[in-house]
Amino acid sequence: MTETMAFVVDMLVHATPLVITGLAVALAFRAGVWNIGADGQFIAGATAAAWVGVSAPAGIGWLALIIALIAGVVAGAIWAAIAAWLRSRFGVLEVISTIMLNFIATYGASFLVRGPLQEPTHVYPQTSGIVSGAHMPILLDGTRLHWGFVIAVALAVIAWWVMKYSATGFRVRASGVNPFAARSAGLIDVSRVTAFAFVASGAIAGMAGAIEVSGVTFALYENISPGYGYTAIAVALLAGLNPLGVIGTGILFGALETAAGAMQRNIGIPSTTASVIEAIVILAVIAIAQLRADRVTTSA
C-alpha cells in the first residue's frame, strides 16, 4: 500500500466518528437544542457496545455486532434523554447539563475500565477485547478502513433527506428557527419536537461510540474519545448544519488529525498544531459569514 493510500485510509478512519457525531450536533442545533454533550453520549454508546461485545457468547457470530450497535444507540439516547428531561421538567439549560454529563460519562467509563469491566490481568485500564463476531467488517482488505464509514455516509444522506423533504424535518427546522412562530402559526408541539431531536441526536452520537469500539479499538479504553463530541461542534457549524456538508467537513478534520499525527512522528511538530489549524479555519468561516451578512444588510 502506497503512502498516499495509507493516508487516505487513516483519514477516513479518523473522519468516521467525526461525521457521525457531527450529524448528531447538526440535528440538535437545527432544532434549537444546544447539545454540547455529544462527547458524553459517544462514551455512553462506546461503553454499552464494549459491554455487549465482551459479554456476548462467541457462538452468536455477527448478531453480536448488531446487538452492540443497538446497545450503543440506546445508551446514547438515554444519556441525552437525561438532559432533555432536566430541560423539560426543571428548565435546566442543556448547555450546562450536557457538559456535566460529559464529565460523568468520562469518569464513569474510567471507573469501569479500572473496576468491574477491567481486563482479567488488572494491569491495563481497559476492558478485554470484544468477541470477533462484534467486529465491524473491513471495507478494503489489508487496511483498517471498516464499514462504519459507509454507515456514516448513509446516515448523512438519510438525515439530509429527512430534514429537507419530510414533515418531521420541517417541524425540526421550524422549531429551531422560531419556536414561537412554529407554536402559534404552525401549531407545532415545539417541546415534543425538540425533545425528539435531542434524544435522536444522542442516539446518533451513541452509534458513533459503538462503531468506534467495533471498528477501531475493539475494547473500551480510558479516554476513548479524544474530544470527538467537541470537534463535532466545529464540524457541524463549518458545514452550515447541512448533513451532506458534514461529510466534507468531517473528512477535512479527519485529514487534519491524520496529518498532525504524521507530522509529529516524522518531523517532531506537535499534533496540537491540528487544533490550531482547526480554530483558524473556524474563525475564518465565521468571519466570512459575518462579512456576507453585513454586506446584505448594507445593500438592503
Side-chain angles (χ1 to χ4, degrees):
M1 186 166 54
T2 64
E3 288 188 6
T4 303
M5 185 64 182
F7 178 85
V8 171
V9 166
D10 282 347
M11 175 185 72
L12 296 181
V13 170
H14 279 106
T16 298
L18 293 175
V19 170
I20 301 177
T21 51
L23 289 171
V25 172
L27 171 61
F29 283 17
R30 271 297 186 94
V33 176
W34 306 112
N35 179 16
I36 314 296
D39 211 55
Q41 293 142 20
F42 175 96
I43 294 171
T47 302
W51 177 73
V52 170
V54 170
S55 308
I60 65 173
W62 55 268
L63 280 176
L65 174 61
I66 302 298
I67 298 173
L69 292 179
I70 293 173
V73 169
V74 172
I78 292 174
W79 210 248
I82 296 172
W85 178 74
L86 290 172
R87 167 182 157 137
S88 173
R89 180 68 177 80
F90 301 106
V92 177
L93 294 175
E94 65 269 25
V95 173
I96 303 298
S97 60
T98 51
I99 290 176
M100 294 297 103
L101 285 167
N102 284 349
F103 284 111
I104 294 173
T106 299
Y107 290 115
S110 178
F111 165 74
L112 290 174
V113 299
R114 291 178 179 275
L117 294 182
Q118 191 173 20
E119 47 83 27
T121 65
H122 298 287
V123 174
Y124 303 105
Q126 65 177 75
T127 66
S128 301
I130 60 177
V131 297
S132 59
H135 288 198
M136 184 70 68
I138 293 297
L139 186 59
L140 291 177
D141 290 338
T143 72
R144 296 194 305 135
L145 185 59
H146 53 81
W147 276 84
F149 180 72
V150 176
I151 294 174
V153 173
L155 275 176
V157 173
I158 292 170
W160 170 79
W161 187 90
V162 169
M163 294 299 292
K164 189 173 180 63
Y165 294 110
S166 74
T168 299
F170 173 77
R171 286 192 285 268
V172 169
R173 288 186 282 119
S175 299
V177 171
N178 192 326
F180 303 105
R183 187 180 294 112
S184 58
L187 301 179
I188 294 174
D189 187 344
V190 174
S191 298
R192 186 174 182 179
V193 170
T194 53
F196 164 78
F198 207 157
V199 174
S201 170
I204 295 172
M207 173 174 278
I211 289 176
E212 187 72 2
V213 167
S214 62
V216 178
T217 64
F218 308 120
L220 180 66
Y221 292 86
E222 196 172 29
N223 301 322
I224 189 171
S225 171
Y228 287 133
Y230 298 107
T231 306
I233 297 172
V235 169
L237 292 177
L238 200 58
L241 305 184
N242 183 321
L244 292 184
V246 166
I247 299 174
T249 54
I251 292 175
L252 171 64
F253 278 75
L256 287 173
E257 293 191 1
T258 303
M263 287 192 298
Q264 180 162 320
R265 285 194 304 272
N266 297 329
I267 53 179
I269 296 178
S271 61
T272 50
T273 305
S275 300
V276 176
I277 297 174
E278 290 172 5
I280 292 172
V281 170
I282 294 167
L283 291 174
V285 170
I286 292 173
I288 292 171
Q290 186 60 47
L291 286 173
R292 286 179 175 174
D294 291 345
R295 186 174 299 174
V296 170
T297 304
T298 303
S299 60

